[in-house]
Amino acid sequence: MCGIIGYCGLSQAAPVLVKGLRRLEYRGYDSYGIAVSNRDIAVSKRQGKVSEGERDARSIRGKIGIGHTRWATHGVPNDRNAHPHTDCRGDIAIVHNGIIENYAALKRDLLERGHTFRSDTDSEVISHLIEEHYTGDLMKAVEDALPLLEGSYAILAIARGEKRIVAARQSSPLVIGMGDQEVFAASDMTPILEYTERAVFLEDGDIASLDPRGVVIRNSGRVVVRPTELIDWSFDDVKKGGFRHYMEKEIYEQPEVFSNTLRTLKREEVPKWLRKVKRISIVSCGTSFHSGLLFKYLLEEICRIPARLEFASEFKYFPPPLSELVVGITQSGETADTIAAIKVAKSYNCPTLAVTNVLGSSITRIADHTFYTQAGPEISVAATKSFIAQLAVLMHIVDELSGGTLTESLERANRAIEETLLLDMERAVACCQDAAHIFFVGRGPLYPVALEGALKMKEISYIHAEGYAAGEIKHGPFALLSEETPVIALCTPGPTYNVMISNIREMKARGTPMIILGEDGDWDLEEIADVFISLPSHDLVTRILAATVALQLLAYHTAEALGRDIDKPRNLAKSVTVE
Ligand code: G6P
């Protein structure tokens, strides 16, 4: 969702801001803008893609500026509602991520006091409130204005005649990049990585003054010092490197990502208290929900630890009675619902554990302990390598809690992912690309894989796809089966193999084209299948991983055949930072 970038240094700000906005595009947006301070503050903003108006924006001169990609929440996507927003005189400009919950009351009061509003956004109240408190010191004005706001925000503000940016954070991510006589601010490290690896993560309540000489941070009226952290992601990680799409690149990075994550985890101690847990609750959203479901299966099946999985968005409002460990799984570490759910767990005094990909992200500051996935920056909106990296962490935990039952399989896993990447999806794509609906079915641990396969397919191809536990398909979806509705069935050896074959035969009898993912040499399945995809798997771990990767490839190539905007699918955001 919305992205923020700020620059204050010795170079021209506009080109840095525009490039930063391009790097933030992956978060999802519908409009964008920049404000640059020279003698006056110049603003360039519009609805649409950065590439469409970037020449105008780049030409603005000045060495201090702020920029924003907007994902509409209050007010439709149009030029007026794009950020930055200014005060009445155009002397102060702000960009804002988050939601100002009491904006309607604030706006009414500001209008009564004679302020002129130019947009329908909640964010614009911020520039007018700062204006009311401004007496020549932007930092002080921001400090005075912010207590009036309720909700979440990451804000950057500039004022005419002041050679600095003022930044503030409350429940929305904001990182400061420390360069050489230049300083950056952004929603995440991706737009900053090419300039510096030194980062300072702001905490809730922090207000910072940024200028080329350095950064001063205050919280509750006092100066505070936040550590400077070294980010080991490289700029190359955020380039496409010869692949057609980031998603393709990220799919092919998975063998390395899986083994890097495991290698890093092996160097860490599993906390002692984790070894003693009796029950676990898991909260997450989207793709991370599916890794959570797999975790639940593995914990219960292998460790015999009862586990409950909840959508973070439900958990926050309807928390179950609980006293156990609560695990939050989130690639970004910023998903508002997951953060809120972990806060609820803390309010119950439950121990909390985060699994995330982003160093210094919000969840790492709240949870008692964090396990990091080593996926590197994931740019494509559809999660692939971060999911595989989450599985590496979660399978590692299961392995540790079960006395090493998965160790050998985990060592072989890498190879299985590599071999899966060689699979040919052409016939399966031909079967899917004209379909209006596709069902993905699996049982046991392959049910979450079916859900994730369906999610990938709908996210990037826009074909309606649904994942089902195969046994449930008879309770309704059967009515929709026809020659035009392909079913993708995951059927590998195990306790449900025979019943799965019966399900497949029943579906086949309705004329349904069957794409079956099974194991090499399974002649029975090959005979039933319209398209058979042979997975290079031989145990539970490799079955889960190979089936996941195969379905990622199927979704990717189907979307490619349909000419979709694969890395930035319509209406979707990489990181959902509002509830
Ligand atoms: C969005 C993204 C998904 C992601 C989900 C949860 O919907 O488009 O790819 O799975 O958020 O994100 P998280 O960062 O919490 O894993």
Side-chain angles (χ1 to χ4, degrees):
M1 295 189 120
C2 306
I4 277 184
I5 174 82
Y7 174 80
C8 184
L10 305 180
S11 305
Q12 289 299 321
V16 178
L17 298 176
V18 170
K19 205 192 251 186
L21 295 180
R22 297 292 295 264
R23 301 233 183 279
L24 290 167
E25 281 184 318
Y26 79 99
R27 296 169 68 94
Y29 72 111
D30 43 55
S31 49
Y32 70 93
I34 65 169
V36 175
S37 174
N38 209 343
R39 277 199 199 90
D40 294 321
I41 291 180
V43 176
S44 168
K45 59 182 194 173
R46 54 187 285 171
Q47 184 187 354
K49 300 264 184 215
V50 179
S51 54
E52 290 160 11
E54 101 173 65
R55 193 176 293 172
D56 291 350
R58 272 177 187 278
S59 61
I60 305 175
R61 298 195 62 78
K63 296 178 179 174
I64 305 161
I66 55 180
H68 189 266
T69 49
R70 174 172 188 253
W71 169 278
T73 52
H74 292 72
V76 297
N78 61 22
D79 293 355
R80 275 187 325 117
N81 289 338
H83 296 216
H85 295 293
T86 55
D87 66 332
C88 295
R89 289 186 294 267
D91 289 345
I92 291 164
I94 64 103
V95 290
H96 165 231
N97 281 1
I99 290 186
I100 305 303
E101 284 158 10
N102 59 337
Y103 88 98
L106 290 171
K107 185 168 177 176
R108 201 173 46 238
D109 294 348
L110 285 159
L111 284 168
E112 273 172 18
R113 294 200 290 273
H115 288 263
T116 310
F117 277 75
R118 299 183 195 89
S119 77
D120 310 314
T121 64
D122 55 334
S123 309
E124 195 183 343
V125 297
I126 302 169
S127 50
H128 294 280
L129 286 174
I130 296 174
E131 174 187 10
E132 287 206 333
H133 291 90
Y134 190 72
T135 52
D137 179 346
L138 183 59
M139 180 81 169
K140 180 158 187 323
V142 172
E143 272 185 306
D144 290 344
L146 291 193
L148 302 168
L149 303 179
E150 286 166 21
S152 60
Y153 50 77
I155 296 169
L156 299 183
I158 53 174
R160 187 157 73 92
E162 292 211 28
K163 292 196 167 25
R164 63 172 166 181
I165 296 173
V166 172
R169 172 202 156 120
Q170 182 65 47
S171 305
S172 253
L174 197 52
V175 57
I176 296 172
M178 311 294 293
D180 184 14
Q181 298 207 61
E182 56 185 4
V183 60
F184 305 81
S187 317
D188 63 52
M189 278 303 284
T190 38
I192 300 180
L193 281 172
E194 65 186 286
Y195 307 103
T196 180
E197 57 187 9
R198 290 184 297 135
V200 174
F201 294 93
L202 294 186
E203 304 272 351
D204 280 351
D206 283 356
I207 302 178
S209 170
L210 284 51
D211 70 45
R213 289 162 306 165
V215 173
V216 177
I217 306 172
R218 291 163 66 85
N219 193 312
S220 312
R222 289 218 200 103
V223 173
V224 291
V225 177
R226 304 285 176 221
T228 303
E229 299 183 36
L230 284 184
I231 305 298
D232 62 359
W233 290 359
S234 81
F235 177 49
D236 283 346
D237 292 337
V238 295
K239 293 198 290 196
K240 262 189 226 153
F243 287 93
R244 284 159 295 180
H245 300 96
Y246 281 110
M247 182 174 179
E248 188 186 25
K249 172 178 178 253
E250 288 160 3
I251 288 174
Y252 280 86
E253 283 171 353
Q254 292 181 115
E256 203 186 337
V257 162
F258 193 84
S259 52
N260 281 349
T261 304
L262 278 186
R263 199 175 316 120
T264 312
L265 289 168
K266 279 190 197 140
R267 291 199 296 259
E268 281 174 33
E269 278 290 305
V270 170
K272 285 207 181 65
W273 52 262
L274 183 54
R275 295 189 183 281
K276 295 189 194 134
V277 291
K278 297 271 178 294
R279 301 181 62 85
I280 295 183
S281 273
I282 307 156
V283 289
S284 46
C285 306
T287 289
S288 298
F289 183 82
H290 298 151
S291 64
L293 188 51
L294 269 160
F295 189 34
K296 172 182 152 66
Y297 268 99
L298 298 177
L299 280 170
E300 294 186 334
E301 178 79 15
I302 299 175
C303 310
R304 311 306 295 163
I305 296 175
R308 167 167 44 200
L309 173 73
E310 305 277 348
F311 289 117
S313 52
E314 289 291 303
F315 183 94
K316 186 197 162 184
Y317 294 103
F318 307 101
L322 80 170
S323 56
E324 64 264 26
L325 170 68
V326 179
V327 181
I329 308 173
T330 162
Q331 183 282 130
S332 61
E334 304 294 351
T335 299
D337 286 323
T338 308
I339 304 285
I342 290 293
K343 285 184 179 162
V344 169
K346 290 201 77 131
S347 73
Y348 278 75
N349 291 323
C350 296
T352 51
L353 176 71
V355 176
T356 187
N357 194 35
V358 182
L359 186 78
S361 56
S362 299
I363 200 164
T364 66
R365 277 143 212 284
I366 305 168
D368 299 320
H369 187 83
T370 300
F371 282 117
Y372 284 102
T373 51
Q374 304 296 327
E378 189 174 64
I379 306 296
S380 179
V381 166
T384 51
K385 63 175 180 171
S386 63
F387 180 70
I388 285 291
Q390 287 171 352
L391 295 187
V393 170
L394 302 171
M395 287 171 170
H396 171 76
I397 295 175
V398 169
D399 189 40
E400 288 283 332
L401 299 186
S402 65
T405 43
L406 297 182
T407 309
E408 269 181 41
S409 326
L410 287 171
E411 275 159 15
R412 290 199 296 249
N414 205 27
R415 184 71 193 272
I417 303 174
E418 274 170 10
E419 287 174 14
T420 310
L421 291 172
L422 302 174
L423 291 176
D424 181 357
M425 290 291 150
E426 206 177 314
R427 288 185 56 224
V429 169
C431 197
C432 290
Q433 71 180 88
D434 297 322
H437 313 278
I438 306 177
F439 285 100
F440 289 68
V441 297
R443 280 173 179 261
L446 292 185
Y447 164 52
V449 176
L451 289 177
E452 176 58 12
L455 180 64
K456 286 291 88 75
M457 182 63 88
K458 78 179 97 173
E459 280 179 309
I460 60 168
S461 75
Y462 311 152
I463 297 173
H464 171 227
E466 281 197 63
Y468 259 87
E472 280 294 296
I473 202 106
K474 277 186 271 197
H475 302 289
F478 243 53
L480 300 175
L481 296 184
S482 73
E483 282 157 20
E484 276 86 51
T485 311
V487 171
I488 320 264
L490 307 177
C491 183
T492 54
T496 59
Y497 179 81
N498 287 335
V499 70
M500 197 61 203
I501 298 240
S502 309
N503 294 152
I504 289 171
R505 285 191 197 283
E506 282 164 339
M507 289 186 272
K508 178 92 181 157
R510 269 79 195 164
T512 309
M514 294 300 308
I515 301 172
I516 303 179
L517 280 67
E519 262 171 36
D520 208 12
D522 192 332
W523 309 119
D524 286 348
L525 272 185
E526 273 202 48
E527 209 178 292
I528 315 170
D530 293 280
V531 178
F532 183 72
I533 295 172
S534 158
L535 298 174
S537 53
H538 27 68
D539 55 33
L540 181 60
V541 165
T542 49
R543 274 169 203 140
I544 291 169
L545 296 172
T548 300
V549 174
L551 295 185
Q552 292 170 347
L553 288 172
L554 177 60
Y556 174 78
H557 290 298
T558 305
E560 198 196 16
L562 293 168
R564 305 294 192 228
D565 189 356
I566 293 184
D567 287 331
K568 287 176 259 154
R570 67 184 180 209
N571 302 337
L572 298 183
K574 179 76 183 158
S575 174
V576 179
T577 50
V578 294
E579 288 178 32

